[in-house]
Amino acid sequence: MLALYKNKDYYYYYKLFSVPELPILERRNWLIHLHYVHKDYEACKAAIKEQLQATEGVCEYAVYVQALILRLEGKIQESLELFQTCAILNPTSPDNLKQVARSL
């Protein structure tokens, strides 16, 4: 599909693309990130819960942010376990291992 745009005396054609469907594992990551950076941790936890239910607990980003929130709340042991889960889900990520080390 093409769209026509006129700017002064020139015409521009743009090809319009449909928005790609995101895989279920990443569908709510943007929302989780948005709530986390705005420090709206309760809404973030709710979005994480929905994402983990939809993915049966294998969404690395949701688990990672949940662990960050738990560490902020002072629940170090629980956050350590979740960071270890992240390291299992993605063993090639150095960030997961760094967070495990920070929680020790």
Side-chain angles (χ1 to χ4, degrees), residues 10-26:
Y10 301 101
Y11 288 95
Y12 299 99
Y13 289 94
Y14 293 100
K15 188 171 183 180
L16 299 178
F17 297 96
S18 62
V19 177
E21 188 68 25
L22 292 173
I24 195 166
L25 291 177
E26 301 171 358

Side-chain angles (χ1 to χ4, degrees), residues 4-65:
L4 179 65
Y5 172 72
K6 183 179 179 185
N7 184 3
K8 295 187 180 179
D9 296 325
Y10 301 101
Y11 288 95
Y12 299 99
Y13 289 94
Y14 293 100
K15 188 171 183 180
L16 299 178
F17 297 96
S18 62
V19 177
E21 188 68 25
L22 292 173
I24 195 166
L25 291 177
E26 301 171 358
R27 208 168 270 167
R28 290 187 188 95
N29 286 357
W30 67 273
L31 183 61
I32 293 169
H33 178 75
L34 182 72
H35 289 308
Y36 182 76
V37 298
H38 287 177
K39 298 181 181 180
D40 186 3
Y41 298 129
E42 293 305 315
C44 189
K45 287 181 190 178
I48 288 169
K49 183 178 178 181
E50 289 175 14
Q51 180 70 359
L52 291 177
Q53 286 175 348
T55 62
E56 298 176 359
V58 295
C59 179
E60 178 192 0
Y61 186 71
V63 174
Y64 185 87
V65 174

Side-chain angles (χ1 to χ4, degrees), residues 51-95:
Q51 180 70 359
L52 291 177
Q53 286 175 348
T55 62
E56 298 176 359
V58 295
C59 179
E60 178 192 0
Y61 186 71
V63 174
Y64 185 87
V65 174
Q66 185 178 23
L68 289 174
I69 292 171
L70 287 173
R71 190 167 60 198
L72 287 172
E73 293 174 345
K75 300 174 183 174
I76 306 300
Q77 184 61 36
E78 293 175 34
S79 72
L80 173 62
E81 292 170 5
L82 289 176
F83 284 128
Q84 288 171 335
T85 302
C86 289
I88 292 169
L89 290 173
N90 185 1
T92 61
S93 172
D95 291 328

